[in-house]
Amino acid sequence: MPQHLFLSGTARAGTSALVNILNQHNHILIGQERYFKKFRQDRISPAHFEKDRFLDIREGDTHAHGGLFVPQRPRRYDNAVYVGDKYPPMFRHLDHVLSEFPKARHIYILRNPLSVAESYEARFRNPDDDWTLDWRAGLAAWNDSVARIAALTQAQLQQFTFVQYEDIYASPQAINALFTRLGLSNLEPETLAPFAEKFAGLNSKLVPRRDDIRAQVAREADWAAYKQLCALMPPPLQNTVEDGR
């Protein structure tokens, strides 16, 4: 049985993009909110990640946009070192998840609160988007997330690999550093370059400036918890190729 791997953070913190990157590796098979409803209902269990069940998406598992978007899924499962799912608001369900999966590995992606709030607001203001949460909801979720993760015990934190949104997509070397921390071989830079290039394009995209939002975020963001989590980020690793896995 592969080891369980879960990805979380907050909405608008790059979890979907990171799933797409992780699934580039032949030894990882991770869903895009594959079990959204099971996590939300605190009904997720190890049985959901056994091969036949994991590959069988049923009504009541997820929403219209959730699932497993990887080709040759049976073969990928057989080759997987890690199998899991991403669920951004997992911080609200950690008691259940940590109890059901005591040996799981977690990746937590941390993005600065201003960008999270602005991303919430941009989607909220987009008339072609059905997003219903404004920047206030984004800041509240971000504060809740960082506070709950920062409050975990040292033993619980040992299960987490922390990733900085602003760093992970910067280059193929930064992405490969994550695979190294997971004990996996590195991928060819050419495979990862499109993800870094896409991030560079998004990073240069202008969003409407709202100084009132920025001031409110500056006043109300839980900077103490943010700094605590930033301190848990590992130092950058050199891009190395490992044999074995």
Side-chain angles (χ1 to χ4, degrees):
M1 177 73 186
Q3 185 173 7
H4 299 116
L5 177 66
F6 299 128
L7 172 59
S8 64
T10 61
R12 316 310 305 153
T15 55
S16 295
L18 190 52
V19 167
N20 292 334
I21 290 173
L22 291 170
N23 278 330
Q24 297 300 305
H25 205 292
N26 286 331
H27 294 310
I28 295 178
L29 180 59
I30 189 166
Q32 286 278 14
E33 302 179 9
R34 161 73 184 84
Y35 285 119
F36 179 91
K37 293 182 180 180
K38 301 299 184 187
F39 278 108
R40 188 173 62 179
Q41 297 163 355
D42 285 336
R43 295 175 58 193
I44 194 73
S45 73
H48 289 105
F49 294 91
E50 294 177 1
K51 181 179 179 179
D52 289 346
R53 180 65 179 93
F54 189 62
L55 301 182
D56 179 20
I57 299 177
R58 305 174 186 174
E59 185 176 354
D61 282 354
T62 188
H63 50 72
H65 303 291
L68 278 173
F69 305 107
V70 178
Q72 300 180 321
R73 291 186 289 273
R75 181 182 63 81
R76 286 288 298 271
Y77 188 101
D78 291 339
N79 292 334
V81 174
Y82 294 104
V83 167
D85 202 3
K86 79 104 169 176
Y87 182 65
M90 196 175 295
F91 59 89
R92 298 189 180 113
H93 305 271
L94 274 178
D95 286 345
H96 176 79
V97 173
L98 292 173
S99 175
E100 286 286 321
F101 302 89
K103 296 184 179 180
R105 292 197 66 165
H106 295 257
I107 298 173
Y108 182 90
I109 185 166
L110 180 66
R111 190 181 189 187
N112 75 82
L114 178 59
S115 294
V116 169
E118 288 182 334
S119 184
Y120 266 76
E121 188 69 11
R123 289 198 63 181
F124 179 72
R125 296 288 178 182
N126 183 352
D128 298 321
D129 198 331
D130 59 1
W131 187 261
T132 61
L133 302 174
D134 68 0
W135 69 268
R136 297 172 185 84
L139 179 58
W142 184 92
N143 276 337
D144 194 11
S145 180
V146 296
R148 294 195 195 206
I149 300 299
L152 293 175
T153 67
Q154 286 299 313
Q156 291 169 331
L157 288 172
Q158 293 301 311
Q159 296 179 237
F160 283 75
T161 296
F162 290 92
V163 172
Q164 193 88 41
Y165 172 93
E166 292 79 9
D167 296 337
I168 184 63
Y169 305 116
S171 68
Q173 292 77 16
I175 298 169
N176 268 328
L178 176 57
F179 289 129
T180 297
R181 296 200 291 274
L182 294 173
L184 300 176
S185 59
N186 286 185
L187 299 184
E188 293 295 329
E190 293 78 10
T191 300
L192 301 175
F195 296 98
E197 292 167 1
K198 182 178 180 179
F199 175 75
L202 291 173
N203 208 30
S204 63
K205 184 178 179 180
L206 295 177
V207 297
R209 176 169 176 165
R210 288 278 303 276
D211 282 336
D212 58 328
I213 293 178
R214 296 182 178 197
Q216 200 78 358
V217 171
R219 285 192 293 266
E220 297 184 6
D222 189 342
W223 296 109
Y226 179 69
K227 291 178 180 179
Q228 185 176 335
L229 296 184
C230 285
L232 296 174
M233 299 290 168
L237 298 177
Q238 292 185 353
N239 186 25
T240 58
V241 178
E242 303 176 0
D243 53 17
R245 293 176 178 170

